[in-house]
Coordinates of all heavy atoms in Angstrom, one line a residue:
V491 N 55.0 79.0 12.3 CA 53.6 78.6 12.5 C 52.9 78.7 11.1 O 52.9 79.7 10.4 CB 52.9 79.6 13.5 CG1 51.4 79.2 13.6 CG2 53.6 79.6 14.8
L492 N 52.4 77.6 10.7 CA 51.6 77.5 9.5 C 50.2 77.2 9.8 O 49.9 76.3 10.6 CB 52.2 76.4 8.6 CG 53.7 76.4 8.3 CD1 54.1 75.2 7.5 CD2 54.2 77.7 7.7
R493 N 49.3 77.9 9.2 CA 47.8 77.7 9.5 C 47.0 78.0 8.3 O 47.2 78.9 7.6 CB 47.4 78.6 10.7 CG 46.0 78.3 11.2 CD 45.6 79.2 12.3 NE 44.4 78.8 12.9 CZ 43.7 79.6 13.8 NH1 44.2 80.8 14.1 NH2 42.5 79.2 14.3
T494 N 46.0 77.1 8.1 CA 45.1 77.3 7.0 C 43.7 77.0 7.4 O 43.4 76.0 8.2 CB 45.4 76.3 5.8 OG1 46.7 76.6 5.3 CG2 44.5 76.5 4.6
M495 N 42.7 77.8 7.1 CA 41.3 77.7 7.4 C 40.5 77.8 6.1 O 40.8 78.6 5.2 CB 40.8 78.7 8.4 CG 41.5 78.5 9.8 SD 41.0 79.9 10.9 CE 41.9 81.2 10.2
A496 N 39.5 76.9 5.9 CA 38.7 77.0 4.7 C 37.3 76.7 5.0 O 37.0 75.9 5.9 CB 39.2 75.9 3.7
T497 N 36.4 77.4 4.3 CA 34.9 77.1 4.5 C 34.3 76.9 3.1 O 34.6 77.6 2.2 CB 34.3 78.4 5.1 OG1 34.7 78.6 6.4 CG2 32.8 78.2 5.1
N498 N 33.6 75.8 3.1 CA 32.8 75.4 1.9 C 31.3 75.5 2.2 O 30.9 74.7 3.0 CB 33.3 74.0 1.4 CG 32.4 73.5 0.3 OD1 31.9 72.4 0.3 ND2 32.1 74.3 -0.7
V499 N 30.7 76.4 1.6 CA 29.2 76.5 1.8 C 28.5 75.8 0.6 O 28.6 76.2 -0.5 CB 28.8 78.0 1.8 CG1 27.3 78.1 2.0 CG2 29.5 78.8 2.9
S500 N 27.9 74.7 0.9 CA 27.2 73.9 -0.1 C 25.9 74.6 -0.6 O 25.6 74.6 -1.8 CB 26.9 72.5 0.4 OG 28.1 71.9 0.8
K501 N 25.1 75.1 0.4 CA 23.9 75.8 0.0 C 23.6 76.8 1.1 O 24.0 76.6 2.3 CB 22.7 74.8 -0.1 CG 22.3 74.0 1.1 CD 21.0 73.3 0.8 CE 20.6 72.4 2.0 NZ 21.4 71.1 2.0
F502 N 22.9 77.8 0.7 CA 22.4 78.8 1.7 C 21.1 79.4 1.1 O 21.1 80.3 0.3 CB 23.4 80.0 1.8 CG 23.2 80.8 3.0 CD1 24.0 80.7 4.1 CD2 22.1 81.7 3.1 CE1 23.8 81.5 5.3 CE2 21.9 82.5 4.2 CZ 22.7 82.4 5.3
I503 N 20.0 78.7 1.4 CA 18.7 79.0 0.8 C 17.8 79.8 1.8 O 17.6 79.3 2.9 CB 18.0 77.7 0.4 CG1 18.9 76.9 -0.6 CG2 16.7 78.0 -0.2 CD1 18.3 75.5 -0.9
S504 N 17.4 80.9 1.4 CA 16.6 81.8 2.2 C 15.2 81.8 1.5 O 15.1 82.1 0.3 CB 17.1 83.2 2.3 OG 18.4 83.2 2.9
N505 N 14.2 81.6 2.3 CA 12.8 81.6 1.8 C 12.1 82.7 2.5 O 11.8 82.7 3.7 CB 12.1 80.3 2.1 CG 10.7 80.2 1.5 OD1 10.1 81.2 1.1 ND2 10.2 79.0 1.3
P506 N 11.7 83.8 1.8 CA 11.0 84.9 2.5 C 9.7 84.5 3.1 O 9.1 85.2 4.0 CB 10.8 85.9 1.3 CG 11.8 85.5 0.3 CD 11.9 84.0 0.4
G507 N 9.0 83.4 2.6 CA 7.8 83.0 3.2 C 6.6 83.8 2.8 O 5.6 83.8 3.5
L508 N 6.7 84.5 1.6 CA 5.6 85.4 1.2 C 5.1 85.0 -0.1 O 5.8 84.5 -1.0 CB 6.2 86.9 1.1 CG 6.8 87.5 2.3 CD1 7.6 88.8 1.9 CD2 5.8 87.8 3.4
A509 N 3.8 85.3 -0.3 CA 3.1 85.0 -1.6 C 3.8 85.9 -2.6 O 4.1 87.1 -2.4 CB 1.6 85.3 -1.5
G510 N 4.1 85.4 -3.8 CA 4.7 86.1 -4.8 C 6.2 86.2 -4.8 O 6.8 86.9 -5.6
T511 N 6.8 85.6 -3.8 CA 8.3 85.6 -3.7 C 8.8 84.1 -3.9 O 8.1 83.2 -3.8 CB 8.8 86.1 -2.3 OG1 8.3 85.2 -1.2 CG2 8.2 87.5 -2.1
F512 N 10.1 84.0 -4.0 CA 10.7 82.7 -4.3 C 11.9 82.5 -3.4 O 12.6 83.5 -3.0 CB 11.2 82.7 -5.8 CG 10.2 83.0 -6.8 CD1 9.9 84.3 -7.2 CD2 9.4 82.0 -7.4 CE1 9.0 84.6 -8.1 CE2 8.5 82.3 -8.3 CZ 8.2 83.6 -8.7
P513 N 12.2 81.3 -3.1 CA 13.4 81.0 -2.3 C 14.6 81.4 -3.1 O 14.7 81.4 -4.3 CB 13.4 79.4 -2.1 CG 12.0 79.1 -2.3 CD 11.4 80.0 -3.3
L514 N 15.6 81.9 -2.3 CA 16.9 82.4 -2.9 C 18.0 81.6 -2.5 O 18.3 81.5 -1.3 CB 17.0 83.9 -2.5 CG 18.3 84.6 -3.0 CD1 18.3 84.7 -4.5 CD2 18.5 86.0 -2.4
E515 N 18.8 81.1 -3.5 CA 20.0 80.4 -3.2 C 21.2 81.4 -3.3 O 21.5 81.9 -4.3 CB 20.2 79.2 -4.2 CG 21.6 78.6 -4.2 CD 22.0 77.9 -2.9 OE1 22.4 78.6 -2.0 OE2 21.8 76.7 -2.8
S516 N 21.9 81.6 -2.1 CA 22.9 82.5 -2.0 C 24.3 81.9 -2.1 O 25.3 82.6 -2.3 CB 22.8 83.4 -0.7 OG 21.6 84.0 -0.7
A517 N 24.5 80.6 -1.9 CA 25.8 80.0 -1.9 C 26.4 80.1 -3.4 O 25.7 79.6 -4.3 CB 25.7 78.6 -1.5
G518 N 27.5 80.7 -3.5 CA 28.1 80.9 -4.8 C 27.7 82.2 -5.5 O 28.1 82.5 -6.6
N519 N 26.8 82.9 -4.8 CA 26.4 84.2 -5.3 C 27.4 85.2 -4.8 O 27.3 85.7 -3.6 CB 25.0 84.6 -4.8 CG 24.5 85.9 -5.3 OD1 25.2 86.7 -5.8 ND2 23.2 86.1 -5.3
D520 N 28.4 85.6 -5.6 CA 29.5 86.4 -5.1 C 29.3 87.9 -5.0 O 30.2 88.7 -4.8 CB 30.8 86.1 -5.9 CG 31.4 84.7 -5.6 OD1 30.7 83.9 -4.9 OD2 32.5 84.5 -6.0
T521 N 28.0 88.2 -5.2 CA 27.6 89.6 -4.9 C 27.0 89.7 -3.5 O 26.6 90.8 -3.1 CB 26.6 90.2 -5.9 OG1 25.5 89.2 -6.0 CG2 27.3 90.3 -7.3
G522 N 27.0 88.6 -2.8 CA 26.7 88.6 -1.3 C 27.9 88.4 -0.5 O 29.0 89.0 -0.8
N523 N 27.8 87.5 0.5 CA 29.0 87.2 1.3 C 29.1 85.7 1.6 O 29.7 85.3 2.6 CB 29.0 88.0 2.6 CG 27.7 87.8 3.4 OD1 26.9 86.9 3.1 ND2 27.5 88.6 4.4
T524 N 28.6 84.9 0.7 CA 28.6 83.5 0.9 C 29.1 82.8 -0.4 O 28.4 82.1 -1.1 CB 27.3 82.9 1.3 OG1 26.3 83.3 0.3 CG2 26.9 83.3 2.7
P525 N 30.4 82.9 -0.7 CA 31.0 82.2 -1.9 C 31.0 80.7 -1.5 O 31.0 80.3 -0.4 CB 32.4 82.7 -2.0 CG 32.8 83.2 -0.7 CD 31.5 83.7 -0.1
H526 N 31.1 79.8 -2.5 CA 31.2 78.4 -2.3 C 32.5 78.1 -1.4 O 32.4 77.2 -0.5 CB 31.2 77.6 -3.6 CG 29.9 77.4 -4.1 ND1 28.9 76.7 -3.4 CD2 29.3 77.6 -5.3 CE1 27.8 76.6 -4.1 NE2 28.0 77.2 -5.3
W527 N 33.6 78.7 -1.8 CA 34.8 78.5 -1.0 C 35.5 79.8 -0.6 O 35.5 80.7 -1.4 CB 35.8 77.7 -1.9 CG 35.5 76.2 -2.0 CD1 34.8 75.6 -3.0 CD2 36.0 75.2 -1.1 NE1 34.8 74.3 -2.8 CE2 35.5 74.0 -1.6 CE3 36.7 75.2 0.1 CZ2 35.8 72.8 -1.0 CZ3 37.0 74.0 0.7 CH2 36.5 72.8 0.2
K528 N 35.9 79.8 0.6 CA 36.8 80.9 1.1 C 37.9 80.3 1.9 O 37.6 79.6 2.9 CB 36.0 81.9 1.9 CG 36.8 83.2 2.2 CD 35.9 84.3 2.8 CE 36.7 85.6 3.0 NZ 35.9 86.6 3.6
I529 N 39.1 80.6 1.5 CA 40.3 79.9 2.1 C 41.2 81.0 2.6 O 41.5 82.0 1.9 CB 41.1 79.1 1.1 CG1 40.1 78.0 0.5 CG2 42.3 78.4 1.7 CD1 40.7 77.2 -0.7
F530 N 41.7 80.9 3.8 CA 42.6 81.8 4.5 C 43.9 81.1 5.0 O 43.7 80.1 5.7 CB 42.0 82.5 5.6 CG 42.9 83.5 6.3 CD1 43.3 84.7 5.8 CD2 43.3 83.2 7.6 CE1 44.2 85.5 6.4 CE2 44.2 84.0 8.3 CZ 44.6 85.2 7.7
G531 N 45.0 81.5 4.6 CA 46.3 80.9 5.0 C 47.2 81.9 5.6 O 47.2 83.1 5.2
V532 N 48.0 81.5 6.6 CA 48.9 82.4 7.2 C 50.2 81.6 7.6 O 50.1 80.5 8.1 CB 48.3 83.1 8.5 CG1 47.9 82.1 9.5 CG2 49.3 84.1 9.1
Q533 N 51.3 82.3 7.3 CA 52.6 81.6 7.6 C 53.4 82.7 8.4 O 53.6 83.8 7.9 CB 53.4 81.2 6.4 CG 52.6 80.3 5.5 CD 51.7 81.0 4.5 OE1 52.1 82.0 3.9 NE2 50.4 80.5 4.3
T534 N 53.9 82.3 9.6 CA 54.7 83.2 10.4 C 56.0 82.6 10.8 O 56.1 81.5 11.3 CB 53.8 83.6 11.7 OG1 52.6 84.2 11.3 CG2 54.6 84.6 12.6

Side-chain angles (χ1 to χ4, degrees):
V491 178
L492 311 178
R493 189 180 185 193
T494 301
M495 294 175 287
T497 294
N498 170 226
V499 182
S500 303
K501 63 172 175 283
F502 196 106
I503 302 174
S504 302
N505 188 342
L508 302 168
T511 62
F512 305 88
L514 176 65
E515 168 62 277
S516 299
N519 183 342
D520 285 12
T521 51
N523 55 9
T524 52
H526 276 305
W527 281 95
K528 189 171 185 180
I529 304 171
F530 176 72
V532 58
Q533 305 85 42
T534 300

